[in-house]
Amino acid sequence: MTGTVTESSTEQWKDRKRYLWLIGLVVPSLAFVALGLHALTGWGVWLWTGPIVVLVIVPAIDLLTGLDRSNPPDELIDALERDRYYRWITFLFLPIQYAGFAVAFHTIATGGLSVVDKIGLAVSIGAIGGIGINTAHELGHKKESHERWLSKIALAQSCYGHFYIEHNRGHHVRVATPEDPASARVGESFYRFWPRTVGGSVKSAWRLEKKRYGRRGRHPWRIGNDVLNAWLMSAVLWGAMIWWLGVGILPYLVLQAVVGFSLLEVVNYMEHYGMLRQQVGVPGRVRYERVNPSHSWNSNNIATNVLLYHLQRHSDHHANPVRRYQTLRDFEESPVLPTGYAGMILLALVPPWWRRVMDPRVLAHFDGDISRANIHPPQRERVLARHPLPTAPIGSQSTEDTAAQLAEDAEGARCPGCGYVYDAAAGAPREGFPAGTPWSAVPDTWCCPDCGVREKVDFVAIGAP
């Protein structure tokens, strides 16, 4: 599951970004920057600070500051994980985010702004909320229950609480396959991807929770449903804002939410564009090969990495989902984007530019055989015609052994990714397996409830004869 980390990247390592991570708190502060500069100058352009920073200033800084490929050595990762300084940075994001949200909407409701200025401020708040979804992403992968609840709170502004379920238990299981609504395909523009991923993620999240409750013999319409309670948070937040400031702010609440989750989805679009895990196994036991560093696009541009808590080191994140951002590493096998995520957003918004830059990189990644990529079905013939297959097969599919690794009479099993242990005596009641449920009765389609990556066949049996 781990990739190749070059020795030179860990030599005499120290976290030179330790205090740079604080720059990430500049993002939720942009609401106050925009309002302050507008008050000083009267210029409406300052109310558009959010998109200006995300789409202009950060890409420019990425180009000027270059790359950071340094990696923490193995022996320091545990200490870095335990250092609470890093997690407090993510915790502090949320109060600043919501303070700016409240002040900005109070200004929209009572500040005498023009419609254009209100739209600009709402778009800026949406950009902040979109990056807030990335903070929710970091928190939502952790095992601590308070961090998972903070993740839902961060998602409430953008009305995208179902992301907490779909990303952890849907996307991480199906990533880089045609079944994943969050994995973009060659020949699929962002504007075609957007409705597929937005609608698909809602459906997937609901199906996952419905299935979890179904195993317990219950209907999903209850407050414990993580989709419903996350949406309830948004309803309470928006209801309180409308009660306080009036129904006139509703169009701007909707606008900032759409901007926020669209910013998330354009990042999803680029993270796995064209990547495809090959199917392996024998008839009757066919599955996709396990996720490895070659299935995610990476970037080491330092500015975007600092603002997005190392989200661009996406390969290590998929290999180790519960690993904290400060310990994520760069792998040699990972395909690399030509610049940081902020700059790539601009390309994604202009499909001809995106195809010109990215399609040749996908082709090179698959050694000239585009048929091995994840191709948008309506565009398949056109894509294959544009990139003829090589005269001889290049590369080969993984020969990963998919034989069952488990003794079915085992007392339990351990996830080799995050260490979660299924104990037959205790069961997993929240997952629908009451105490005493033997490991053999757990369906093959079940995956680890903590990391959301390893499936039952990956687990290592414990207590087997």
Side-chain angles (χ1 to χ4, degrees), residues 75-115:
E75 62 270 19
L76 293 182
I77 286 181
D78 285 344
L80 275 172
E81 288 274 333
R82 292 193 300 270
D83 190 337
R84 300 189 69 83
Y85 163 80
Y86 297 96
R87 66 187 71 181
W88 273 105
I89 292 175
T90 57
F91 295 167
L92 287 172
F93 190 103
L94 301 186
I96 302 173
Q97 173 188 346
Y98 276 104
F101 176 75
V103 171
F105 271 91
H106 182 267
T107 303
I108 288 174
T110 65
L113 300 179
S114 69
V115 172

Side-chain angles (χ1 to χ4, degrees), residues 119 154 192 232 269 392:
I119 291 173
R192 290 183 179 273
L232 181 60
Y269 176 76

Side-chain angles (χ1 to χ4, degrees), residues 56-80:
V56 179
I57 295 177
V58 174
I61 296 175
D62 268 339
L63 294 176
L64 292 173
T65 55
L67 307 177
D68 169 35
R69 297 197 64 185
S70 64
N71 290 310
D74 292 341
E75 62 270 19
L76 293 182
I77 286 181
D78 285 344
L80 275 172

Side-chain angles (χ1 to χ4, degrees), residues 417-435:
C418 69
Y420 168 85
V421 174
Y422 178 87
D423 181 355
R430 192 173 188 277
E431 292 293 304
F433 308 124

Side-chain angles (χ1 to χ4, degrees), residues 19-39:
Y19 298 108
L20 289 180
W21 295 117
L22 290 168
I23 295 174
L25 297 178
V26 170
V27 173
S29 304
L30 290 178
F32 301 105
V33 173
L35 290 169
L37 291 173
H38 177 261

Side-chain angles (χ1 to χ4, degrees), residues 191-245:
Y191 304 102
R192 290 183 179 273
F193 172 78
W194 188 91
R196 181 171 72 84
T197 189
V198 171
S201 65
V202 174
K203 294 176 183 176
S204 174
W206 182 257
R207 283 196 298 263
L208 287 165
E209 282 295 86
K210 183 179 179 180
K211 187 175 183 179
R212 180 170 71 88
Y213 273 99
R215 289 195 296 261
R216 299 162 65 181
R218 298 181 178 181
H219 64 78
W221 294 96
R222 53 187 73 238
I223 195 65
N225 183 319
D226 283 326
V227 174
L228 293 181
N229 59 50
W231 284 347
L232 181 60
M233 288 183 182
S234 294
V236 170
L237 173 65
W238 284 31
M241 293 293 289
I242 291 171
W243 174 81
W244 174 38
L245 299 171

